Amino acid sequence: MESARRGGGRIARERATVDERLRRLLRAAGAGDRAAFRRFYRMTAPRAYGLALRISNDRAVAEEVTREVYLRMWSAARQSAVDGAAEWGGPMGWVIALTHRAAIERLRDAAEFGCGSGHSISDPAEWPGARTGDRAILGPIYFGGRTYREAAQRLSLPVAVVRARLVAVLSGLAGECADG
């Protein structure tokens, strides 16, 4: 038991050390240090790419999303906007938030233009994999601008259920777009 507590403290210290290193790299990148940004990228890009791939289910899209995220981050760093990372729980939280947002935007754009699937984003009833109950979840999040938590609270569902159903439907849509 005691060794488990010590291990947990060690992990927290290691995370804090990595987080501080990422912050320093972002500040250096903001000062124009390209090498610092490359190091930041090497440390964080695998997680960003993994998230984009999980959301899009398409390697090419995940690569594009990851590139887009780091271009945005480079621009933000150059504009001294890296302090905004604090609101996301630090640099890694910022990477994850930007990646998630960009990947979802990409799916929305693909759905908006139909991807040759014949489905319209404006009607969740037409989304591949959308069950009748999903429509109550999709509408508030997709069109009402609500968060997972707000939609879950409104529908009296666990946040994890809302998130899982949205991911499942968006993955179905992405798969159909890739096939379509």
Side-chain angles (χ1 to χ4, degrees):
M1 184 78 127
E2 184 63 32
S3 66
R5 276 189 230 143
R6 279 187 298 222
R10 181 180 49 80
I11 292 170
R13 285 189 303 277
E14 288 173 3
R15 279 192 188 140
T17 301
V18 168
D19 188 57
E20 184 51 40
R21 184 172 179 208
L22 292 174
R23 286 179 199 280
R24 282 194 313 269
L25 290 171
L26 274 177
R27 282 193 293 275
D33 186 341
R34 290 177 183 266
F37 193 74
R38 279 192 297 274
R39 285 191 300 276
F40 178 83
Y41 174 85
R42 282 194 304 268
M43 290 177 70
T44 60
R47 287 192 58 199
Y49 174 78
L51 176 61
L53 180 60
R54 195 170 116 209
I55 291 170
S56 69
N57 202 28
D58 182 305
R59 290 181 188 276
V61 169
E63 289 171 7
E64 289 174 24
V65 165
T66 303
R67 253 191 313 275
E68 178 183 322
V69 164
Y70 285 92
L71 285 172
R72 285 182 189 175
M73 293 188 85
W74 172 252
S75 176
R78 298 291 296 145
Q79 296 170 13
S80 300
V82 292
D83 290 334
E87 74 184 67
W88 298 106
M92 198 65 227
W94 192 33
V95 169
I96 295 302
L98 289 176
T99 302
H100 182 266
R101 184 178 302 145
I104 295 297
E105 284 174 7
R106 184 63 57 101
L107 286 178
R108 286 179 180 164
D109 290 347
E112 184 71 45
F113 295 107
C115 303
S117 67
H119 298 287
S120 167
I121 193 171
S122 62
D123 186 1
E126 293 184 23
W127 290 9
R131 300 183 307 210
T132 303
D134 295 335
R135 293 181 192 114
I137 294 171
L138 298 172
I141 293 171
Y142 223 111
F143 303 108
R146 290 192 171 82
T147 65
Y148 295 123
R149 190 173 315 287
E150 290 168 339
Q153 193 172 30
R154 182 171 173 250
L155 299 167
S156 300
L157 292 169
V159 173
V161 169
V162 171
R163 187 175 294 148
R165 287 308 314 148
L166 184 63
V167 167
V169 172
L170 292 176
S171 294
L173 182 61
E176 184 148 324
C177 286
D179 295 340

